[in-house]
Amino acid sequence: MLIVLSVLSTLLILSVFISLVRNDFWFFRVFEYPRLQKIALVMITLGCWLFYWPLDLLFHKLLVGGLVACVGYLFYNIYPYTIIAKKEMTRVSGVDKQNEIRIFAANVLQTNTAYDKMLEQVKTCDPDIIFLLETNQAWADGVNELKEKYPHQLLQPLENTYGLLFYSRFKLKNGKVNYLVQDDIPSIETTIYLPSGQAVQIWGLHPEPPVPGENLYATAKDKELMKVALKVRDCNLPCFVFGDLNDVAWSYSTELFRKTSRLLDPRRGRGFYSTFSAHHWFLRFPLDYIFCSRHFGLIGMKRMPKNGSDHFATFTELAFKPELKDQQEAPQADREEIEEAKELATQPVEK
C-alpha cells in the first residue's frame, strides 16, 4: 500500500507543478484545468498518509511535504474565485433601467437539438443580448423566432462547431464578424447603444482549445485572446468581452488577458461559476466568461440549469455607472507583460 501511495503522491505532485512549464503544447496546458479536482485528490492523499504517521523514510517525508506545497499552490491559484476573496466588481442596485444590460450566453453543443429548452431559458431571462456558440444552420433555424424580438443580429452559422449567433435589442454600429486568427474560427465585434444612448463596445469570442484531434497547441487561442486584449486596452468606450474562452479562470493566459485588457471579472470573490461539463459534476471548469470595464457594476449573475448542452448557459445583468470607473480597481500589466501580450498576438499559429 505504501508503494501505491508513494506512486500516487509522485504523480499528483508532477501534475500540479507541470503547469508551471510555459509551453503551448496541449499536454502542458491541460494540467491547468482541473485545479479544483487536484486539490481534492491531494487532500485525500494527505489523509491517507496519516495512517502511516510518523514516517520513517526521508522519501516519504519529502512526498508529504510536496503534497502540502501542492495544497498551498493550488489554493493560491483558486483563492480569488472563492467567496472569501475580495470582490473585484461592485454590486449595484436601484439602477436607471435605461443603462442596464441583460446578457444571455451559451455554448449550445452543435449536436444538441433541444432548441426549445434553450429558447425557454432565453424567455425566462428576457435578455437584451443573446450570444449562442457552436451553432450551425440547424441551430439558426431552430431559434429563428429570436429574430422577431431581437432585430439587430450578427449571424455566422458554421458546421465546424465554431458557428455563432448574436442577437440584440439594442442598435448596433460597425457590427462585424471577424476571423482574427484562423479563417474558420469567427468572433464578433460591435458597438451597441443602450436605451440611454450610451455607446458600449463589445467582443464575443470562442477560440479553439488545445486538445488532441483539434489543435495540439494553444498558440491560436492565446493569439486571439491577446489580440482582443490589446484592442480593449486601446478602446475609449465602456466595453465588455464575453463568450467561451476555452480556458480556465486561473490559467496564465487568462490572467495575462485580464491584466492587458484591464477588464474586471465579476466572478472574483463570488465563486467559480463552472460552466463545463454540464454532464459530469466531478469534471467541471469555468470556461465561459464575461469581462467588463470599470464603467460597469454588477446587478446579478447566475449559471442556468441544464439545457441539453455540455455547457451551462450564463445570465449576467450589468449596469453602466460611469462614477464606478474611479471606484473600482482594474488589474494592471507591467511592461514585460504588455510586451509578452504583443508577442503572443503576432506569433505564427501552429497546428
Side-chain angles (χ1 to χ4, degrees), residues 129-187:
I129 288 173
I130 302 166
F131 192 36
L132 304 180
L133 296 167
E134 207 170 305
T135 43
N136 57 5
Q137 189 57 51
W139 264 96
D141 296 338
V143 298
N144 188 60
E145 65 184 70
L146 293 176
K147 290 182 177 180
E148 298 177 12
K149 196 171 182 180
Y150 299 89
H152 309 287
Q153 304 148 16
L154 292 169
L155 310 178
Q156 186 60 77
L158 295 172
E159 300 299 328
N160 65 352
T161 73
Y162 288 95
L164 55 83
L165 304 173
F166 174 81
Y167 304 89
S168 173
R169 283 185 179 137
F170 302 145
K171 179 183 175 183
L172 308 183
K173 181 180 180 181
N174 299 325
K176 56 184 176 179
V177 175
N178 291 328
Y179 291 85
L180 294 173
V181 177
Q182 296 159 282
D183 58 11
D184 58 348
I185 309 291
S187 62

Short mmCIF file of all heavy atoms in Angstrom, two decimals, residues 129-187:
data_model
loop_
_atom_site.label_atom_id
_atom_site.label_comp_id
_atom_site.label_asym_id
_atom_site.label_seq_id
_atom_site.Cartn_x
_atom_site.Cartn_y
_atom_site.Cartn_z
N ILE A 129 -29.30 40.96 -24.86
CA ILE A 129 -28.30 40.43 -25.78
C ILE A 129 -28.23 38.92 -25.61
O ILE A 129 -28.23 38.41 -24.49
CB ILE A 129 -26.93 41.06 -25.50
CG1 ILE A 129 -26.90 42.52 -25.96
CG2 ILE A 129 -25.80 40.28 -26.17
CD1 ILE A 129 -25.64 43.26 -25.59
N ILE A 130 -28.16 38.21 -26.73
CA ILE A 130 -28.04 36.75 -26.72
C ILE A 130 -26.84 36.38 -27.58
O ILE A 130 -26.69 36.86 -28.71
CB ILE A 130 -29.30 36.09 -27.30
CG1 ILE A 130 -30.54 36.51 -26.51
CG2 ILE A 130 -29.15 34.57 -27.32
CD1 ILE A 130 -31.85 36.16 -27.22
N PHE A 131 -26.00 35.52 -27.04
CA PHE A 131 -24.82 35.06 -27.79
C PHE A 131 -24.78 33.54 -27.70
O PHE A 131 -24.55 32.97 -26.63
CB PHE A 131 -23.55 35.67 -27.18
CG PHE A 131 -22.32 35.51 -28.02
CD1 PHE A 131 -22.36 35.56 -29.41
CD2 PHE A 131 -21.08 35.32 -27.41
CE1 PHE A 131 -21.21 35.42 -30.18
CE2 PHE A 131 -19.92 35.19 -28.16
CZ PHE A 131 -19.99 35.25 -29.55
N LEU A 132 -25.04 32.87 -28.83
CA LEU A 132 -25.07 31.42 -28.89
C LEU A 132 -23.89 30.91 -29.71
O LEU A 132 -23.69 31.34 -30.85
CB LEU A 132 -26.38 30.93 -29.51
CG LEU A 132 -27.67 31.41 -28.83
CD1 LEU A 132 -28.89 30.84 -29.55
CD2 LEU A 132 -27.69 31.04 -27.35
N LEU A 133 -23.14 30.00 -29.11
CA LEU A 133 -21.93 29.48 -29.74
C LEU A 133 -22.08 28.01 -30.10
O LEU A 133 -22.92 27.31 -29.56
CB LEU A 133 -20.74 29.66 -28.79
CG LEU A 133 -20.39 31.12 -28.47
CD1 LEU A 133 -19.43 31.18 -27.29
CD2 LEU A 133 -19.80 31.82 -29.68
N GLU A 134 -21.22 27.56 -31.01
CA GLU A 134 -21.23 26.20 -31.54
C GLU A 134 -22.55 25.95 -32.27
O GLU A 134 -23.15 24.89 -32.16
CB GLU A 134 -21.01 25.17 -30.42
CG GLU A 134 -20.37 23.88 -30.92
CD GLU A 134 -19.92 22.94 -29.82
OE1 GLU A 134 -19.13 23.38 -28.97
OE2 GLU A 134 -20.35 21.77 -29.84
N THR A 135 -22.96 26.95 -33.04
CA THR A 135 -24.25 26.90 -33.73
C THR A 135 -24.07 26.72 -35.23
O THR A 135 -23.32 27.45 -35.87
CB THR A 135 -25.03 28.21 -33.47
OG1 THR A 135 -24.14 29.32 -33.58
CG2 THR A 135 -25.63 28.21 -32.08
N ASN A 136 -24.79 25.74 -35.78
CA ASN A 136 -24.79 25.52 -37.23
C ASN A 136 -26.12 26.00 -37.80
O ASN A 136 -26.92 26.65 -37.12
CB ASN A 136 -24.54 24.04 -37.53
CG ASN A 136 -25.57 23.13 -36.86
OD1 ASN A 136 -26.53 23.61 -36.23
ND2 ASN A 136 -25.37 21.83 -36.98
N GLN A 137 -26.38 25.68 -39.05
CA GLN A 137 -27.61 26.16 -39.69
C GLN A 137 -28.85 25.56 -39.02
O GLN A 137 -29.89 26.22 -38.92
CB GLN A 137 -27.61 25.81 -41.18
CG GLN A 137 -28.75 26.45 -41.95
CD GLN A 137 -28.77 27.96 -41.83
OE1 GLN A 137 -27.76 28.62 -42.04
NE2 GLN A 137 -29.92 28.53 -41.48
N ALA A 138 -28.74 24.32 -38.54
CA ALA A 138 -29.88 23.71 -37.85
C ALA A 138 -30.24 24.52 -36.61
O ALA A 138 -31.42 24.72 -36.30
CB ALA A 138 -29.55 22.27 -37.47
N TRP A 139 -29.23 25.02 -35.90
CA TRP A 139 -29.50 25.86 -34.73
C TRP A 139 -30.06 27.22 -35.14
O TRP A 139 -30.96 27.76 -34.48
CB TRP A 139 -28.22 26.02 -33.90
CG TRP A 139 -28.16 25.04 -32.79
CD1 TRP A 139 -27.53 23.83 -32.77
CD2 TRP A 139 -28.82 25.16 -31.53
NE1 TRP A 139 -27.75 23.19 -31.58
CE2 TRP A 139 -28.53 23.98 -30.79
CE3 TRP A 139 -29.62 26.13 -30.94
CZ2 TRP A 139 -29.02 23.76 -29.51
CZ3 TRP A 139 -30.10 25.92 -29.65
CH2 TRP A 139 -29.81 24.74 -28.95
N ALA A 140 -29.54 27.77 -36.21
CA ALA A 140 -30.07 29.05 -36.69
C ALA A 140 -31.56 28.92 -37.02
O ALA A 140 -32.36 29.81 -36.71
CB ALA A 140 -29.28 29.51 -37.91
N ASP A 141 -31.94 27.79 -37.62
CA ASP A 141 -33.35 27.54 -37.94
C ASP A 141 -34.14 27.24 -36.67
O ASP A 141 -35.30 27.68 -36.53
CB ASP A 141 -33.47 26.36 -38.91
CG ASP A 141 -32.82 26.65 -40.26
OD1 ASP A 141 -32.66 27.84 -40.59
OD2 ASP A 141 -32.46 25.67 -40.95
N GLY A 142 -33.52 26.51 -35.73
CA GLY A 142 -34.22 26.11 -34.51
C GLY A 142 -34.58 27.27 -33.60
O GLY A 142 -35.54 27.18 -32.84
N VAL A 143 -33.79 28.35 -33.64
CA VAL A 143 -34.08 29.52 -32.79
C VAL A 143 -34.45 30.73 -33.64
O VAL A 143 -34.30 31.87 -33.22
CB VAL A 143 -32.86 29.85 -31.89
CG1 VAL A 143 -32.56 28.69 -30.95
CG2 VAL A 143 -31.62 30.21 -32.71
N ASN A 144 -34.97 30.45 -34.82
CA ASN A 144 -35.28 31.51 -35.79
C ASN A 144 -36.25 32.55 -35.23
O ASN A 144 -36.22 33.73 -35.62
CB ASN A 144 -35.86 30.90 -37.06
CG ASN A 144 -36.01 31.93 -38.17
OD1 ASN A 144 -35.02 32.54 -38.59
ND2 ASN A 144 -37.23 32.13 -38.63
N GLU A 145 -37.10 32.15 -34.27
CA GLU A 145 -38.08 33.08 -33.72
C GLU A 145 -37.43 34.25 -32.96
O GLU A 145 -38.07 35.28 -32.74
CB GLU A 145 -39.04 32.36 -32.79
CG GLU A 145 -38.41 31.79 -31.53
CD GLU A 145 -39.40 31.00 -30.69
OE1 GLU A 145 -39.82 29.91 -31.12
OE2 GLU A 145 -39.75 31.49 -29.60
N LEU A 146 -36.16 34.10 -32.60
CA LEU A 146 -35.47 35.19 -31.89
C LEU A 146 -35.34 36.43 -32.77
O LEU A 146 -35.22 37.54 -32.25
CB LEU A 146 -34.08 34.73 -31.44
CG LEU A 146 -34.03 33.64 -30.37
CD1 LEU A 146 -32.59 33.23 -30.10
CD2 LEU A 146 -34.69 34.12 -29.07
N LYS A 147 -35.36 36.24 -34.08
CA LYS A 147 -35.20 37.37 -34.98
C LYS A 147 -36.33 38.39 -34.83
O LYS A 147 -36.14 39.59 -35.08
CB LYS A 147 -35.16 36.88 -36.43
CG LYS A 147 -33.89 36.12 -36.79
CD LYS A 147 -33.91 35.72 -38.25
CE LYS A 147 -32.63 35.01 -38.66
NZ LYS A 147 -32.65 34.62 -40.08
N GLU A 148 -37.51 37.92 -34.41
CA GLU A 148 -38.64 38.83 -34.27
C GLU A 148 -38.45 39.81 -33.12
O GLU A 148 -38.76 41.00 -33.24
CB GLU A 148 -39.93 38.02 -34.07
CG GLU A 148 -40.28 37.10 -35.22
CD GLU A 148 -41.52 36.28 -34.92
OE1 GLU A 148 -42.23 36.61 -33.94
OE2 GLU A 148 -41.79 35.32 -35.66
N LYS A 149 -37.92 39.33 -32.00
CA LYS A 149 -37.77 40.15 -30.81
C LYS A 149 -36.42 40.86 -30.75
O LYS A 149 -36.27 41.86 -30.04
CB LYS A 149 -37.95 39.27 -29.57
CG LYS A 149 -38.21 40.04 -28.29
CD LYS A 149 -38.58 39.10 -27.15
CE LYS A 149 -38.90 39.87 -25.88
NZ LYS A 149 -39.26 38.95 -24.77
N TYR A 150 -35.47 40.33 -31.50
CA TYR A 150 -34.11 40.89 -31.49
C TYR A 150 -33.72 41.25 -32.92
O TYR A 150 -33.11 40.47 -33.64
CB TYR A 150 -33.13 39.87 -30.90
CG TYR A 150 -33.46 39.51 -29.46
CD1 TYR A 150 -34.33 38.45 -29.17
CD2 TYR A 150 -32.94 40.24 -28.40
CE1 TYR A 150 -34.65 38.13 -27.85
CE2 TYR A 150 -33.26 39.93 -27.09
CZ TYR A 150 -34.11 38.88 -26.82
OH TYR A 150 -34.43 38.57 -25.52
N PRO A 151 -34.06 42.47 -33.34
CA PRO A 151 -33.91 42.84 -34.75
C PRO A 151 -32.47 43.09 -35.20
O PRO A 151 -32.21 43.14 -36.40
CB PRO A 151 -34.73 44.13 -34.85
CG PRO A 151 -34.69 44.71 -33.46
CD PRO A 151 -34.69 43.54 -32.54
N HIS A 152 -31.55 43.24 -34.26
CA HIS A 152 -30.16 43.53 -34.62
C HIS A 152 -29.34 42.27 -34.42
O HIS A 152 -29.27 41.73 -33.31
CB HIS A 152 -29.63 44.68 -33.77
CG HIS A 152 -30.53 45.88 -33.78
ND1 HIS A 152 -30.65 46.71 -34.88
CD2 HIS A 152 -31.39 46.36 -32.84
CE1 HIS A 152 -31.52 47.67 -34.61
NE2 HIS A 152 -31.99 47.47 -33.39
N GLN A 153 -28.69 41.81 -35.49
CA GLN A 153 -28.09 40.48 -35.46
C GLN A 153 -26.74 40.43 -36.17
O GLN A 153 -26.49 41.18 -37.10
CB GLN A 153 -29.04 39.47 -36.14
CG GLN A 153 -30.43 39.43 -35.55
CD GLN A 153 -31.48 39.10 -36.60
OE1 GLN A 153 -31.15 38.61 -37.68
NE2 GLN A 153 -32.73 39.39 -36.28
N LEU A 154 -25.90 39.52 -35.69
CA LEU A 154 -24.68 39.11 -36.38
C LEU A 154 -24.70 37.58 -36.38
O LEU A 154 -24.56 36.96 -35.33
CB LEU A 154 -23.43 39.62 -35.67
CG LEU A 154 -23.20 41.14 -35.68
CD1 LEU A 154 -22.08 41.52 -34.72
CD2 LEU A 154 -22.88 41.62 -37.09
N LEU A 155 -24.92 36.99 -37.53
CA LEU A 155 -25.14 35.56 -37.62
C LEU A 155 -24.09 34.91 -38.51
O LEU A 155 -23.92 35.31 -39.67
CB LEU A 155 -26.54 35.26 -38.17
CG LEU A 155 -27.71 36.00 -37.48
CD1 LEU A 155 -29.03 35.64 -38.17
CD2 LEU A 155 -27.77 35.65 -36.00
N GLN A 156 -23.41 33.91 -37.98
CA GLN A 156 -22.44 33.16 -38.76
C GLN A 156 -22.50 31.68 -38.37
O GLN A 156 -21.63 31.14 -37.69
CB GLN A 156 -21.03 33.69 -38.52
CG GLN A 156 -19.96 33.06 -39.41
CD GLN A 156 -20.21 33.28 -40.88
OE1 GLN A 156 -19.96 34.36 -41.41
NE2 GLN A 156 -20.72 32.27 -41.57
N PRO A 157 -23.59 30.99 -38.80
CA PRO A 157 -23.68 29.56 -38.50
C PRO A 157 -22.63 28.80 -39.32
O PRO A 157 -22.42 29.09 -40.50
CB PRO A 157 -25.10 29.20 -38.93
CG PRO A 157 -25.48 30.24 -39.94
CD PRO A 157 -24.77 31.49 -39.54
N LEU A 158 -21.98 27.84 -38.67
CA LEU A 158 -20.97 27.01 -39.33
C LEU A 158 -21.15 25.57 -38.89
O LEU A 158 -21.70 25.30 -37.83
CB LEU A 158 -19.55 27.49 -38.98
CG LEU A 158 -19.14 28.89 -39.44
CD1 LEU A 158 -17.79 29.25 -38.83
CD2 LEU A 158 -19.06 28.96 -40.96
N GLU A 159 -20.62 24.66 -39.68
CA GLU A 159 -20.76 23.23 -39.37
C GLU A 159 -19.52 22.66 -38.66
O GLU A 159 -19.43 21.46 -38.46
CB GLU A 159 -21.02 22.45 -40.66
CG GLU A 159 -22.29 22.86 -41.40
CD GLU A 159 -23.56 22.66 -40.59
OE1 GLU A 159 -23.60 21.71 -39.77
OE2 GLU A 159 -24.51 23.45 -40.77
N ASN A 160 -18.59 23.52 -38.27
CA ASN A 160 -17.33 23.05 -37.68
C ASN A 160 -17.28 23.22 -36.16
O ASN A 160 -16.21 23.16 -35.56
CB ASN A 160 -16.14 23.80 -38.31
CG ASN A 160 -16.16 25.29 -37.99
OD1 ASN A 160 -17.13 25.81 -37.43
ND2 ASN A 160 -15.09 25.99 -38.35
N THR A 161 -18.42 23.44 -35.53
CA THR A 161 -18.59 23.67 -34.08
C THR A 161 -18.11 25.05 -33.63
O THR A 161 -17.99 25.30 -32.44
CB THR A 161 -17.91 22.59 -33.19
OG1 THR A 161 -16.50 22.76 -33.22
CG2 THR A 161 -18.30 21.18 -33.63
N TYR A 162 -17.86 25.95 -34.59
CA TYR A 162 -17.45 27.30 -34.21
C TYR A 162 -18.38 28.38 -34.76
O TYR A 162 -18.03 29.56 -34.79
CB TYR A 162 -16.00 27.57 -34.64
CG TYR A 162 -15.03 26.80 -33.78
CD1 TYR A 162 -14.54 25.56 -34.19
CD2 TYR A 162 -14.65 27.27 -32.53
CE1 TYR A 162 -13.69 24.83 -33.38
CE2 TYR A 162 -13.80 26.55 -31.72
CZ TYR A 162 -13.33 25.33 -32.14
OH TYR A 162 -12.49 24.60 -31.33
N GLY A 163 -19.58 27.97 -35.18
CA GLY A 163 -20.55 28.95 -35.62
C GLY A 163 -21.05 29.79 -34.46
O GLY A 163 -20.96 29.39 -33.29
N LEU A 164 -21.58 30.98 -34.76
CA LEU A 164 -22.10 31.86 -33.71
C LEU A 164 -23.34 32.59 -34.19
O LEU A 164 -23.52 32.87 -35.37
CB LEU A 164 -21.02 32.83 -33.24
CG LEU A 164 -20.33 33.72 -34.27
CD1 LEU A 164 -21.14 34.97 -34.59
CD2 LEU A 164 -18.94 34.14 -33.77
N LEU A 165 -24.21 32.88 -33.22
CA LEU A 165 -25.43 33.63 -33.45
C LEU A 165 -25.52 34.71 -32.38
O LEU A 165 -25.54 34.40 -31.19
CB LEU A 165 -26.67 32.72 -33.38
CG LEU A 165 -26.69 31.49 -34.30
CD1 LEU A 165 -27.90 30.62 -33.98
CD2 LEU A 165 -26.72 31.89 -35.77
N PHE A 166 -25.58 35.96 -32.80
CA PHE A 166 -25.64 37.10 -31.88
C PHE A 166 -26.90 37.90 -32.17
O PHE A 166 -27.13 38.32 -33.31
CB PHE A 166 -24.39 37.97 -32.05
CG PHE A 166 -24.42 39.24 -31.24
CD1 PHE A 166 -24.08 39.23 -29.90
CD2 PHE A 166 -24.78 40.45 -31.83
CE1 PHE A 166 -24.11 40.40 -29.15
CE2 PHE A 166 -24.80 41.62 -31.10
CZ PHE A 166 -24.47 41.60 -29.76
N TYR A 167 -27.73 38.09 -31.13
CA TYR A 167 -28.97 38.84 -31.26
C TYR A 167 -29.00 39.97 -30.24
O TYR A 167 -28.57 39.79 -29.10
CB TYR A 167 -30.18 37.93 -31.00
CG TYR A 167 -30.25 36.69 -31.88
CD1 TYR A 167 -29.62 35.51 -31.48
CD2 TYR A 167 -30.93 36.71 -33.08
CE1 TYR A 167 -29.69 34.37 -32.27
CE2 TYR A 167 -31.01 35.56 -33.87
CZ TYR A 167 -30.38 34.40 -33.46
OH TYR A 167 -30.44 33.28 -34.25
N SER A 168 -29.54 41.12 -30.64
CA SER A 168 -29.55 42.27 -29.74
C SER A 168 -30.83 43.08 -29.92
O SER A 168 -31.30 43.29 -31.04
CB SER A 168 -28.34 43.16 -30.02
OG SER A 168 -28.40 44.35 -29.28
N ARG A 169 -31.38 43.53 -28.79
CA ARG A 169 -32.46 44.51 -28.83
C ARG A 169 -31.91 45.89 -29.16
O ARG A 169 -32.60 46.75 -29.66
CB ARG A 169 -33.15 44.58 -27.47
CG ARG A 169 -34.10 43.47 -27.16
CD ARG A 169 -34.79 43.74 -25.85
NE ARG A 169 -35.74 42.71 -25.52
CZ ARG A 169 -35.89 42.19 -24.32
NH1 ARG A 169 -35.11 42.60 -23.33
NH2 ARG A 169 -36.77 41.26 -24.08
N PHE A 170 -30.65 46.07 -28.79
CA PHE A 170 -30.04 47.38 -28.92
C PHE A 170 -29.47 47.56 -30.32
O PHE A 170 -28.98 46.62 -30.94
CB PHE A 170 -28.92 47.56 -27.89
CG PHE A 170 -29.36 47.39 -26.47
CD1 PHE A 170 -28.51 46.82 -25.53
CD2 PHE A 170 -30.62 47.80 -26.05
CE1 PHE A 170 -28.89 46.67 -24.21
CE2 PHE A 170 -31.03 47.65 -24.73
CZ PHE A 170 -30.15 47.09 -23.81
N LYS A 171 -29.50 48.79 -30.77
CA LYS A 171 -28.96 49.14 -32.07
C LYS A 171 -27.47 48.85 -32.12
O LYS A 171 -26.74 49.07 -31.15
CB LYS A 171 -29.21 50.62 -32.35
CG LYS A 171 -28.66 51.12 -33.67
CD LYS A 171 -28.89 52.62 -33.82
CE LYS A 171 -28.24 53.13 -35.10
NZ LYS A 171 -28.41 54.62 -35.23
N LEU A 172 -27.00 48.34 -33.26
CA LEU A 172 -25.59 48.06 -33.47
C LEU A 172 -24.98 49.08 -34.41
O LEU A 172 -25.65 49.62 -35.29
CB LEU A 172 -25.39 46.66 -34.07
CG LEU A 172 -26.05 45.47 -33.40
CD1 LEU A 172 -25.65 44.19 -34.12
CD2 LEU A 172 -25.70 45.39 -31.93
N LYS A 173 -23.69 49.31 -34.21
CA LYS A 173 -22.94 50.15 -35.13
C LYS A 173 -21.60 49.47 -35.41
O LYS A 173 -20.95 48.98 -34.49
CB LYS A 173 -22.70 51.54 -34.54
CG LYS A 173 -21.94 52.48 -35.47
CD LYS A 173 -21.73 53.84 -34.84
CE LYS A 173 -20.97 54.76 -35.79
NZ LYS A 173 -20.72 56.11 -35.19
N ASN A 174 -21.22 49.43 -36.68
CA ASN A 174 -19.96 48.81 -37.09
C ASN A 174 -19.88 47.35 -36.64
O ASN A 174 -18.80 46.85 -36.31
CB ASN A 174 -18.76 49.58 -36.52
CG ASN A 174 -18.70 51.02 -37.01
OD1 ASN A 174 -19.07 51.30 -38.13
ND2 ASN A 174 -18.25 51.91 -36.15
N GLY A 175 -21.02 46.68 -36.65
CA GLY A 175 -21.03 45.27 -36.27
C GLY A 175 -20.40 44.41 -37.35
O GLY A 175 -20.69 44.57 -38.54
N LYS A 176 -19.55 43.49 -36.95
CA LYS A 176 -18.90 42.63 -37.94
C LYS A 176 -18.49 41.30 -37.31
O LYS A 176 -18.28 41.20 -36.10
CB LYS A 176 -17.68 43.32 -38.54
CG LYS A 176 -16.66 43.79 -37.53
CD LYS A 176 -15.52 44.56 -38.22
CE LYS A 176 -14.54 45.11 -37.20
NZ LYS A 176 -13.43 45.85 -37.85
N VAL A 177 -18.40 40.30 -38.17
CA VAL A 177 -17.85 39.01 -37.79
C VAL A 177 -16.39 39.00 -38.22
O VAL A 177 -16.08 39.21 -39.40
CB VAL A 177 -18.62 37.86 -38.46
CG1 VAL A 177 -17.95 36.52 -38.15
CG2 VAL A 177 -20.07 37.85 -38.00
N ASN A 178 -15.50 38.80 -37.27
CA ASN A 178 -14.07 38.78 -37.54
C ASN A 178 -13.53 37.36 -37.60
O ASN A 178 -14.08 36.45 -36.97
CB ASN A 178 -13.31 39.53 -36.43
CG ASN A 178 -13.55 41.01 -36.46
OD1 ASN A 178 -13.76 41.60 -37.52
ND2 ASN A 178 -13.53 41.64 -35.28
N TYR A 179 -12.45 37.20 -38.31
CA TYR A 179 -11.64 35.98 -38.26
C TYR A 179 -10.24 36.43 -37.88
O TYR A 179 -9.40 36.68 -38.72
CB TYR A 179 -11.67 35.26 -39.62
CG TYR A 179 -13.03 34.68 -39.93
CD1 TYR A 179 -14.02 35.45 -40.52
CD2 TYR A 179 -13.34 33.36 -39.59
CE1 TYR A 179 -15.28 34.94 -40.78
CE2 TYR A 179 -14.60 32.83 -39.85
CZ TYR A 179 -15.56 33.62 -40.45
OH TYR A 179 -16.81 33.10 -40.70
N LEU A 180 -10.03 36.58 -36.59
CA LEU A 180 -8.84 37.24 -36.09
C LEU A 180 -7.57 36.43 -36.26
O LEU A 180 -6.49 36.99 -36.40
CB LEU A 180 -9.02 37.58 -34.60
CG LEU A 180 -10.10 38.60 -34.27
CD1 LEU A 180 -10.29 38.71 -32.76
CD2 LEU A 180 -9.75 39.96 -34.88
N VAL A 181 -7.70 35.11 -36.21
CA VAL A 181 -6.51 34.25 -36.27
C VAL A 181 -6.63 33.17 -37.34
O VAL A 181 -5.72 32.97 -38.13
CB VAL A 181 -6.25 33.60 -34.89
CG1 VAL A 181 -5.07 32.64 -34.95
CG2 VAL A 181 -6.01 34.67 -33.83
N GLN A 182 -7.76 32.48 -37.36
CA GLN A 182 -7.96 31.37 -38.30
C GLN A 182 -9.18 31.66 -39.15
O GLN A 182 -10.17 32.26 -38.69
CB GLN A 182 -8.14 30.06 -37.52
CG GLN A 182 -6.88 29.67 -36.73
CD GLN A 182 -7.21 28.70 -35.60
OE1 GLN A 182 -7.70 29.11 -34.56
NE2 GLN A 182 -6.92 27.42 -35.81
N ASP A 183 -9.13 31.21 -40.39
CA ASP A 183 -10.19 31.54 -41.34
C ASP A 183 -11.47 30.73 -41.13
O ASP A 183 -12.44 30.91 -41.88
CB ASP A 183 -9.70 31.41 -42.78
CG ASP A 183 -9.19 30.01 -43.12
OD1 ASP A 183 -9.40 29.08 -42.31
OD2 ASP A 183 -8.57 29.85 -44.19
N ASP A 184 -11.49 29.86 -40.13
CA ASP A 184 -12.72 29.10 -39.84
C ASP A 184 -13.16 29.27 -38.38
O ASP A 184 -14.02 28.54 -37.91
CB ASP A 184 -12.52 27.62 -40.16
CG ASP A 184 -11.36 26.99 -39.40
OD1 ASP A 184 -10.56 27.74 -38.79
OD2 ASP A 184 -11.24 25.75 -39.39
N ILE A 185 -12.57 30.23 -37.65
CA ILE A 185 -12.92 30.50 -36.26
C ILE A 185 -13.38 31.95 -36.15
O ILE A 185 -12.56 32.87 -36.05
CB ILE A 185 -11.74 30.25 -35.30
CG1 ILE A 185 -11.11 28.88 -35.53
CG2 ILE A 185 -12.19 30.42 -33.85
CD1 ILE A 185 -11.99 27.71 -35.13
N PRO A 186 -14.70 32.20 -36.15
CA PRO A 186 -15.19 33.58 -36.13
C PRO A 186 -15.30 34.15 -34.71
O PRO A 186 -15.32 33.42 -33.72
CB PRO A 186 -16.57 33.45 -36.76
CG PRO A 186 -17.03 32.08 -36.36
CD PRO A 186 -15.78 31.23 -36.32
N SER A 187 -15.39 35.45 -34.65
CA SER A 187 -15.71 36.17 -33.42
C SER A 187 -16.50 37.41 -33.84
O SER A 187 -16.59 37.72 -35.03
CB SER A 187 -14.44 36.58 -32.66
OG SER A 187 -13.65 37.45 -33.45
#
